[in-house]
Amino acid sequence: MEYKKIIENAKNDRMNEAVEAAAELLLQGNVEDIKMTDIAEKCGIGVASLYRYFGTKGDIVAKAGAVLWGRIRALFDGVFESPYFLDKSGYDRLCELMKVFRVLYISHQDFLRFVDSFDRFAVNEKISPEALSEYERSVLDFYPLFETAYRDGVKDGTTKPDIDFGLVYVSVTHALMLMSEKFSRGKVFESDAGGEHELRFMVDMALAYIKA
């Protein structure tokens, strides 16, 4: 029994190493272009073992993507639990939370490019909902913070009580992420206002709609 436990622990360690290697590669290039052989070379695990551990490229990419989303969430550990944040009104907390998108655009454009690339890959490869479940949970990890702030805002009178906040959150998040992804690829036209300016404008519109 002890021997089996040692083997299982070793396998888990190697799987974690493979996921970490995949996560690093995902920040460096398009998901479509990364091969299982690249991941195998990066982590020093045979390709056959990778397929045995994960089944498909989609499975390991989804797990690595969840790790990357977890790292982004970890950047804000303690911030949204601090007295400075919690003592604000519900609306003011939403204003603070919206700054997450600005942080991503300014400091984590490699992550934004990954999200864009992953979305395309997931659709093209028809990755199953089961394989995407962990990734989806990581993506939605921010939502409870927004919802709690909104509901507290309804209680303190700073946010509108008669809106579908879940729909607002999904719509605004999708719009801001798509804009961030677009501008992370670089400016196309000289007439473009610029990513940060347009993001701030979209955030201001969303907050104006929510504010009581």
Side-chain angles (χ1 to χ4, degrees):
M1 181 64 71
E2 187 63 28
Y3 176 74
K4 287 184 178 180
K5 187 174 181 180
I6 292 173
I7 295 298
E8 186 64 26
N9 288 340
K11 175 184 174 182
N12 290 336
D13 288 343
R14 290 169 69 79
M15 290 177 70
N16 289 334
E17 289 173 9
V19 169
E20 289 292 334
E24 187 174 338
L25 289 171
L26 290 173
L27 293 178
Q28 298 172 4
N30 291 329
V31 177
E32 294 280 2
D33 297 334
I34 296 171
K35 301 178 178 60
M36 290 291 269
T37 51
D38 298 326
I39 300 172
E41 182 178 351
K42 183 77 174 175
C43 64
I45 297 174
V47 176
S49 294
L50 285 185
Y51 279 109
R52 188 167 62 253
Y53 293 157
F54 299 100
T56 67
K57 173 184 167 181
D59 290 336
I60 189 172
V61 165
K63 288 183 180 299
V67 167
L68 292 177
W69 272 101
R71 289 178 186 171
I72 292 297
R73 178 64 181 86
L75 293 174
F76 302 94
D77 279 353
V79 175
F80 300 132
E81 294 80 28
S82 67
Y84 166 81
F85 178 76
L86 295 175
D87 287 345
K88 293 178 178 292
S89 69
Y91 174 77
D92 286 340
R93 278 153 58 192
L94 286 172
C95 292
E96 291 293 322
L97 286 164
M98 285 292 187
K99 292 179 182 178
V100 168
F101 297 99
R102 184 171 181 270
V103 171
L104 290 180
Y105 177 73
I106 294 175
S107 303
H108 300 280
Q109 294 196 1
D110 54 352
F111 173 76
L112 292 172
R113 287 190 290 270
F114 152 70
V115 172
D116 181 41
S117 179
F118 179 85
D119 287 349
R120 298 172 191 275
F121 175 76
V123 171
N124 291 338
E125 296 298 317
K126 298 180 174 59
I127 300 179
S128 70
E130 292 77 15
L132 288 173
S133 60
E134 183 179 357
Y135 182 86
E136 183 178 19
R137 285 194 300 273
S138 299
V139 173
L140 295 175
D141 197 32
F142 280 99
Y143 177 70
L145 293 169
F146 282 82
E147 184 181 39
T148 299
Y150 167 72
R151 294 191 182 283
D152 286 348
V154 171
K155 292 176 183 176
D156 64 31
T158 56
T159 59
K160 293 176 182 175
D162 55 348
I163 62 175
D164 183 344
F165 184 73
L167 177 61
V168 172
Y169 174 82
V170 170
S171 301
V172 172
T173 299
H174 284 168
L176 291 174
M177 286 299 293
L178 286 170
M179 287 178 64
S180 298
E181 291 160 13
K182 167 183 164 53
F183 286 111
S184 72
R185 294 192 291 269
K187 198 172 182 179
V188 178
F189 304 112
E190 287 301 317
S191 59
D192 288 342
E196 191 172 352
H197 295 297
E198 293 189 31
L199 281 172
R200 187 180 300 117
F201 179 70
M202 287 292 293
V203 166
D204 288 346
M205 283 200 301
L207 290 171
Y209 178 77
I210 295 169
K211 188 175 183 180

